[in-house]
Structures are given as C-alpha cells and as structure tokens.
Amino acid sequence: MRNYSDMPLICSISRDDEEFMVSSVGDNPYFWKQIPVLRDVFHGRFEKHNIETLDGKTLKNPWMFDMHLALPVCKALKEIDDRFVIPEWVKDIDYSKDKDFKRFRAAVDLDIVKSEWKGDYQRQGVLKGLSQNRLAWFYEMGLGKTFVMQTTLNHLVKWGRVRKYVIVCPPEGVINVAAECIKFNSFGLTWDDIYIVDTAHRNPFDHPDKKVFIMTYRNLVMLHDDAYKASKKKKSSKIVRKNYIPWEKLGDNLCLILDESQCFSPETIVDTPYKKPIYI
C-alpha cells in the first residue's frame, strides 16, 4: 500500500524555457524514494532553493532536467504512479514529433563524426553531451576524450546551440588540444580561428571573430585580474568571487570546456554566462 493520498509529483516549465522541473507535493517520502531513479536515468540535478516558474508557480527544491526530456521523464513518472497525469504542454513539445525541434534530440549525426569510435563508450559520451546542459567526462588518458568533446561540439555548432567555445587546460595540453579540435571538427575550423591566451596575448575580447579560445588555468586567473583592475582601477587585495571577465564581448552561445578539471575550483566561474560547462 502506497503511503500517500495525493498525486506525488508536480511538473512545470522553468524560467529559461530549456529546463523541465519535478517537485514533490508536500512532504512525500515516496517521491524522495523514487526520484533518484529518474536522476540516474535522465541525469537530473537537485536545486536547494525554490524556483519561480513561467506560469507563476513556486516549486520547492525541484529536480531539473533538460526540456527535451520532459516527455520521457513524464512517462517514467506515469510508470511509477499510474495516477500521475502527463500535462498537455508536455505532449505539445514532444520534440520527437516536431521537425522544428529535431536539432535538440540526442541523436548522433554520423556525417559529422570525423574518426572511428574507439568503443561504444565514446558514442555514449557524445549522446550524453547532446542531452545535457552540464556534464562531465572523466576518461583516463588515451581514451579519446578530446575526440568525444569535439564531436559533441560539431553537433552543437551545427544546431546553432554553440557558436564559440573556451577551453581551459594545463600548459602541456594547449597545442595538442588545438590540433585535435582542428583534426576532429566538421565546420572548417583552422589555426586562424583559434586564439591562444598567454602573457603576450592577453586580450581575446579584441578578437571576437575567433571561434575557439584556449588558455591555461593560470591564464584564466590572469584575465580575471586584468578585468578587475580595469573595472576598479586597482589590483585586488583579497579573493574576488564575482566574475569580472567580459565574456559577453565574445558573443552569445558560449561553451566552456575544463580539461583536467579535477585541478580546477568551480567557484572561479561563478556568475559567468556559460550555458553548457563541460568537465573533462
């Protein structure tokens, strides 16, 4: 016998129209028992605060999923509880039936895969990259994570979801990452399209025509120090949590890739406008 008397789940559209939210109605132990299943299958994430939705609702501590997964998530909820009613708006945005939204579906386009798969794990990695706004690939060295990353970006660039990307990596990886991005790209990327940040080239924002910006973690801190000094007319005497780097000068639809991200503190990119950070 289930230990609840009301529908256990409520769904709504988030404020940015790209995420789908699931939240418990009241204090519902059954919901909290079942939601980890959805989290693991559909790569959901938990928000530790309330969210105001476009339709005026306020959801308490919701779980967030990419919008194109709304229908599969709702079908899973229906299987968990047959009293759950799939909202009509979810049926209306079924991307699998709407050709205008085909580009948001998690399907690999083999025409823009520029090498052979080393294993099915690479194909699954690309599918993961196409279905999530934030993700991490923690492959061991030599397993082809740059190929997976660039193949994912080939799709996102083709679909118009990413126009430019910033890669932050250790010093020893800068040239190799650039070369592999060129090798595996499907949209004509060349060395002329890449800006490598260093102490002698520290203003990528004067080159918005470039498509890829590569820097070390130390260079990223350098850019932030320069931007802070330009804004405040002085150097910082303490740790600065707010972002001062003018990423908006590079345009919209930026993607951030953090190579060897276990070396990197996520707080450094708080308040940056990245839609899709990728940790590899």
Side-chain angles (χ1 to χ4, degrees):
M1 187 70 181
R2 291 175 176 171
N3 187 27
Y4 58 85
S5 58
D6 198 358
M7 184 189 301
L9 307 165
I10 185 170
C11 307
S12 186
I13 302 175
S14 71
R15 287 172 294 183
D16 62 6
D17 271 335
E18 292 186 358
E19 292 189 294
F20 167 75
M21 296 187 284
V22 180
S23 182
S24 173
V25 177
D27 184 13
N28 194 322
Y30 182 74
F31 172 86
W32 295 109
K33 180 180 179 181
Q34 295 297 327
I35 195 65
V37 177
L38 300 179
R39 175 199 64 197
D40 295 341
V41 173
F42 299 106
H43 309 294
R45 75 180 194 280
F46 180 64
E47 291 290 340
K48 294 183 179 180
H49 57 273
N50 296 345
I51 297 289
E52 182 179 350
T53 67
L54 287 175
D55 54 8
K57 296 177 182 177
T58 298
L59 299 189
K60 181 179 179 181
N61 304 133
W63 284 84
M64 314 288 285
F65 301 89
D66 278 2
M67 183 58 71
H68 75 277
L69 295 173
L71 187 61
V73 170
C74 281
K75 287 181 177 178
L77 297 177
K78 184 74 172 177
E79 291 181 5
I80 292 172
D81 181 358
D82 57 13
R83 293 182 293 174
F84 175 75
V85 178
I86 299 178
E88 288 299 319
W89 58 263
V90 172
K91 300 176 184 178
D92 291 341
I93 59 168
D94 179 4
Y95 296 151
S96 66
K97 298 179 180 178
D98 191 337
K99 293 181 180 179
D100 291 337
F101 290 96
K102 185 177 180 180
R103 62 187 182 279
F104 295 107
R105 297 176 62 191
V108 173
D109 182 349
L110 294 179
D111 290 337
I112 54 179
V113 178
K114 296 304 179 181
S115 182
E116 297 293 327
W117 305 112
K118 286 187 175 181
D120 190 60
Y121 71 90
Q122 287 188 319
R123 188 182 68 84
Q124 292 297 330
V126 172
L127 286 171
K128 182 179 179 182
L130 302 183
S131 64
Q132 295 178 228
N133 277 337
R134 299 171 180 83
L135 68 145
W137 295 305
F138 294 127
Y139 299 156
E140 294 292 335
M141 185 178 296
L143 293 181
K145 60 186 177 184
T146 306
F147 165 66
V148 173
M149 176 269 290
Q150 185 58 53
T151 301
T152 300
L153 286 166
N154 289 346
H155 288 75
L156 298 176
V157 169
K158 180 179 179 180
W159 297 339
R161 300 196 75 181
V162 169
R163 291 190 175 91
K164 301 174 184 178
Y165 47 105
V166 176
I167 302 174
V168 187
C169 64
E172 62 273 14
V174 170
I175 299 302
N176 185 61
V177 166
E180 293 204 333
C181 286
I182 293 171
K183 178 181 178 180
F184 298 127
N185 92 92
S186 63
F187 49 88
L189 185 70
T190 69
W191 283 102
D192 290 337
D193 298 315
I194 298 176
Y195 187 95
I196 296 178
V197 177
D198 56 31
T199 54
H201 304 85
R202 56 199 302 154
N203 197 350
F205 312 106
D206 284 345
H207 302 272
D209 55 312
K210 302 294 185 180
K211 297 177 181 177
V212 181
F213 302 85
I214 304 177
M215 65 194 74
T216 67
Y217 290 93
R218 181 59 230 171
N219 293 150
L220 180 61
V221 174
M222 176 189 73
L223 290 184
H224 191 270
D225 289 346
D226 288 351
Y228 181 90
K229 185 177 179 180
S231 174
K232 300 296 185 179
K233 309 303 180 185
K234 63 178 181 179
K235 293 184 178 180
S236 173
S237 59
K238 58 183 179 180
I239 295 176
V240 178
R241 294 297 184 187
K242 180 181 177 181
N243 172 64
Y244 283 88
I245 300 177
W247 298 113
E248 67 278 0
K249 291 184 178 180
L250 297 181
D252 298 326
N253 291 15
L254 289 171
C255 176
L256 173 65
I257 298 103
L258 303 177
D259 192 12
E260 302 295 342
S261 56
Q262 70 273 11
C263 305
F264 190 58
S265 174
E267 294 85 23
T268 308
I269 58 167
V270 170
D271 293 334
T272 57
Y274 288 110
K275 293 284 188 179
K276 197 177 187 68
I278 297 175
Y279 303 90
I280 60 177

